[in-house]
Amino acid sequence: MVHEMRGRSFDEGDGSGGDGGSSAVIGQPMPLVFNGRAGEYFGIWIVNVLLTVLTVGIYSAWAKVRTNRYFWGSTRLDGDAFSYHAKPLQILIARIIVIAVLVGVGVLVDMRPIAAFVVYPAFLFLFPWLVARSFRFQSRVTRWRNVNFDFRTDYWPTFLTLLIVPFIPIISLGLATPVATKLTQEWAYNRFSFGDRPFKVDVSLGRLYGLFGLVFVLAIVAYGAALASLIPVILEADNSGGGLGALGPGGYLSLAVAYVLLLSVSLLVLVYQVGVRNIVFSELTLDGIHKFQSTVSKTRYVWIVVTNLFAVAFTLGLLTPWARIRLARYIAENTYIIPGGPLDEFVANVKETQGVIGEEYVDIEGIDVGIGL
């Protein structure tokens, strides 16, 4: 089936259902299919990089659209590709406006420092609105079978989620991290919709605490092992009187082991993110009928991310397309929708929330609140 799909280019993924009807089986998990190829994407990526540099960043809006169109167009569900319909000029204008406002604010504060007491709090309250509008923009320009996704832009829930909830882990010394995760995930997913059909999720706090407990224990073990590795190093350096410079091969080996163990603790963030994704997807529904499933392996995902980083670093970025394609394919093949009814009939009854043509949008690139992988 995958080989048959590769016969159509990503530009042909118009979501028209042209493959001759749905192959979905009610209650049977149906995976996303990603047929992007590293060599194919490399041509897009290298042109994007060169033109962005030559135009001093102006082409980045076109680069973003070309990249998103390729990745969405290479992702299929039930034989039909997703599509991305943002307009580069629209994104560029939004970015110019944002940059102009930021520069203007910087000049104003330099000239009148007292203005900072008014301008910066204003930006703080504006931030949630910008994030929500960015989510809404990206949702509405993404379509499947000619139906766009959407995102409700409720201001105060967004304000609380982005500016208040992050303090929950801090004031609880990390112990309430699952609570913050639950609030953040539910804020995001419960505001997405496919046309007028809402996504719903009620994340189990107990399962989040089970995941958090696992990560916490692994972190303690890693820290303990790192400390145990450092003790001989400290004793050897103290006995020799020459400090770290007088360490023998064994001392340097112990120091390297401790460093790797401490570095591995940072990878536990990825383990937690993957676990959260799997939990959320297992409890996510669309219109109360269709369910989802994520089977991303924690160890496999960490391995892919780490080896991707090394590959990109050692090739000075040239393997970036390969790394992105590799990760996208793994995520897709481990993401499933479980139809609760005929997909053709479901899509036929979905109503558009609002067309994207002629409407004003704000796209703020780089804002990410970590709602998924």
Side-chain angles (χ1 to χ4, degrees), residues 245-303:
L247 291 178
Y252 282 113
L253 178 61
S254 296
L255 195 63
V257 170
Y259 176 78
V260 170
L261 287 170
L262 291 176
L263 185 62
S264 68
V265 174
S266 63
L267 299 179
L268 292 176
V269 174
L270 297 178
V271 173
Y272 185 72
Q273 288 179 342
V274 170
V276 168
R277 184 184 200 269
N278 291 343
I279 291 172
V280 169
F281 272 59
S282 69
E283 299 172 354
L284 180 66
T285 62
L286 173 58
D287 199 31
I289 302 174
H290 308 293
K291 299 180 180 180
F292 296 83
Q293 183 180 16
S294 172
T295 58
V296 177
S297 165
K298 300 178 182 64
T299 53
R300 178 63 178 166
Y301 180 79
V302 171
W303 169 254

Side-chain angles (χ1 to χ4, degrees), residues 35-371:
N35 59 351
R37 289 174 289 181
E40 194 174 56
Y41 175 51
F42 182 85
I44 297 173
W45 175 79
I46 193 66
V47 170
N48 285 346
V49 171
L50 293 176
L51 290 181
T52 298
V53 172
L54 291 175
T55 60
V56 197
I58 293 176
Y59 188 78
S60 64
W62 279 262
K64 177 177 181 178
V65 170
R66 290 187 70 204
T67 298
N68 286 345
R69 283 180 179 172
Y70 181 79
F71 275 88
W72 279 121
S74 298
T75 306
R76 293 178 179 271
L77 173 63
D78 196 24
D80 289 298
F82 292 81
S83 56
Y84 186 78
H85 297 271
K87 298 177 181 178
L89 186 59
Q90 186 180 39
I91 295 176
L92 178 63
I93 292 174
R95 292 179 179 177
I96 291 175
I97 292 174
V98 170
I99 293 174
V101 170
L102 292 176
V103 171
V105 167
V107 172
L108 176 62
V109 171
D110 284 340
M111 296 177 60
R112 296 287 188 271
I114 195 173
F117 292 98
V118 176
V119 174
Y120 291 151
F123 263 77
L124 186 67
F125 279 90
L126 182 63
F127 176 73
W129 180 82
L130 291 175
V131 174
R133 292 295 296 183
S134 177
F135 272 62
R136 193 179 197 189
F137 172 83
Q138 294 298 336
S139 300
R140 288 191 165 189
V141 296
T142 305
R143 303 170 72 86
W144 182 69
R145 290 190 177 176
N146 292 323
V147 177
N148 68 280
F149 291 83
D150 204 348
F151 184 85
R152 298 199 316 275
T153 53
D154 303 317
Y155 178 79
W156 287 112
T158 304
F159 178 90
L160 293 174
T161 302
L162 299 186
L163 299 181
I164 304 300
V165 170
F167 287 99
I168 293 178
I170 297 175
I171 63 178
S172 66
L173 300 179
L175 297 179
T177 297
V179 175
T181 300
K182 174 181 172 67
L183 294 174
T184 302
Q185 298 293 315
E186 291 180 352
W187 164 78
Y189 283 100
N190 288 335
R191 278 166 177 73
F192 280 109
S193 66
F194 176 64
D196 64 338
R197 305 305 172 93
F199 288 90
K200 291 293 182 184
V201 68
D202 183 7
V203 185
S204 169
L205 191 58
R207 293 181 65 186
L208 288 178
Y209 264 105
L211 171 65
F212 178 76
L214 171 64
V215 172
F216 184 78
V217 169
L218 291 176
I220 293 299
V221 171
Y223 273 122
L227 181 60
S229 299
L230 285 175
I231 290 176
V233 175
I234 296 173
L235 292 177
E236 182 179 346
D238 185 59
N239 292 333
S240 65
L244 294 178
L247 291 178
Y252 282 113
L253 178 61
S254 296
L255 195 63
V257 170
Y259 176 78
V260 170
L261 287 170
L262 291 176
L263 185 62
S264 68
V265 174
S266 63
L267 299 179
L268 292 176
V269 174
L270 297 178
V271 173
Y272 185 72
Q273 288 179 342
V274 170
V276 168
R277 184 184 200 269
N278 291 343
I279 291 172
V280 169
F281 272 59
S282 69
E283 299 172 354
L284 180 66
T285 62
L286 173 58
D287 199 31
I289 302 174
H290 308 293
K291 299 180 180 180
F292 296 83
Q293 183 180 16
S294 172
T295 58
V296 177
S297 165
K298 300 178 182 64
T299 53
R300 178 63 178 166
Y301 180 79
V302 171
W303 169 254
I304 290 176
V305 170
V306 171
T307 52
N308 279 355
L309 288 174
F310 277 105
V312 171
F314 283 119
T315 61
L316 301 179
L318 290 178
L319 280 184
T320 296
W322 173 81
R324 291 197 61 180
I325 293 292
R326 181 190 183 202
L327 182 59
R329 178 176 290 111
Y330 179 70
I331 293 297
E333 66 187 17
N334 285 280
T335 301
Y336 300 82
I337 182 171
I338 306 175
L343 289 181
D344 289 339
E345 180 180 330
F346 170 73
V347 174
N349 293 322
V350 172
K351 297 179 180 178
E352 291 273 19
T353 52
Q354 192 167 351
V356 298
I357 299 177
E359 184 170 340
E360 295 295 331
Y361 291 99
V362 174
D363 177 34
I364 307 299
E365 187 172 12
I367 294 178
D368 184 6
V369 294
I371 64 165

